[in-house]
Amino acid sequence: MRGCRFNLMDVVLHADAIHRGMGQIMPTSRRVCFASLMTADPNLLEPVYLCNISVPQEAMGNVYGVLTRRRGHVFSEEQRPGTPQMTLLAYLPVMESFGFTADLRSHTGGKAFPQCSFDHWEPMTGNPFADGNKCNETVLAVRKRKGLKVAVPELGQYLDKL
């Protein structure tokens, strides 16, 4: 979570010192934080690579095809003076970069040479609570990997029961 702050404005603790402590405050504050997160407009940020790709002009179409399949996009292309080599600068989500070099080389006959480095964080498109989008698939995969219930919990689970 980024840019979140929760202020505890008022609390009434147990009169007996033995019963006061984090066990009295934490469960309630935890439920409040979870409920406020779910009622807000949450989104996931994904890391994005800056890819510097050197490729001959005749293989550029294949590079564009590979990048498009992997949710990447080219934002700059320059020709090296006096050579048929092109230098492409593209953004590629890290999640889509696994096997990118091998895929790129197989589609260009080994003529493309990518170099990737982290550039920025970008919000994922889609609602993490709505089924059928990449953001929701990521949330469900992380929950499964961490051993949590795969389904996202309902809001009523965190609301006050009084």
Side-chain angles (χ1 to χ4, degrees):
M1 292 195 333
R2 296 176 73 156
C4 291
R5 186 174 102 182
F6 298 96
N7 292 335
L8 183 61
M9 302 304 282
D10 186 27
V11 65
V12 177
L13 296 174
H14 198 277
D16 191 6
I18 194 80
H19 296 293
R20 278 190 292 239
M22 293 314 291
Q24 190 177 3
I25 299 171
M26 280 307 293
T28 305
S29 58
R30 182 175 179 264
R31 281 198 340 262
V32 167
C33 292
F34 284 163
S36 62
L37 173 74
M38 291 179 79
T39 55
D41 188 20
N43 202 349
L44 295 182
L45 295 176
E46 69 177 333
V48 177
Y49 278 146
L50 171 67
C51 292
N52 186 341
I53 304 169
S54 296
V55 62
Q57 281 181 334
E58 69 267 6
M60 272 183 43
N62 296 334
V63 172
Y64 275 92
V66 171
L67 282 169
T68 303
R69 270 196 312 276
R70 293 175 172 264
R71 297 189 301 135
H73 63 277
V74 175
F75 65 89
S76 170
E77 60 180 59
E78 300 172 358
Q79 183 170 7
R80 290 191 190 154
T83 66
Q85 284 289 105
M86 298 289 288
T87 300
L88 303 176
L89 293 178
Y91 290 132
L92 179 69
V94 172
M95 193 183 326
E96 306 290 340
S97 69
F98 301 105
F100 173 68
T101 303
D103 194 21
L104 189 63
R105 292 229 173 109
S106 69
H107 281 83
T108 59
K111 296 177 182 175
F113 300 97
Q115 217 174 6
C116 297
S117 60
F118 174 78
D119 190 63
H120 65 278
W121 294 91
E122 192 170 282
M124 289 184 81
T125 56
N127 184 350
F129 299 132
D131 291 335
N133 59 54
K134 193 74 170 170
C135 191
N136 180 257
E137 290 172 13
T138 304
V139 168
L140 297 180
V142 168
R143 290 183 65 82
K144 183 177 179 182
R145 187 181 72 227
K146 289 188 171 194
L148 301 170
K149 293 179 187 172
V150 178
V152 177
E154 295 293 323
L155 177 62
Q157 183 175 338
Y158 301 113
L159 295 178
D160 211 2
K161 305 220 178 2
L162 295 177

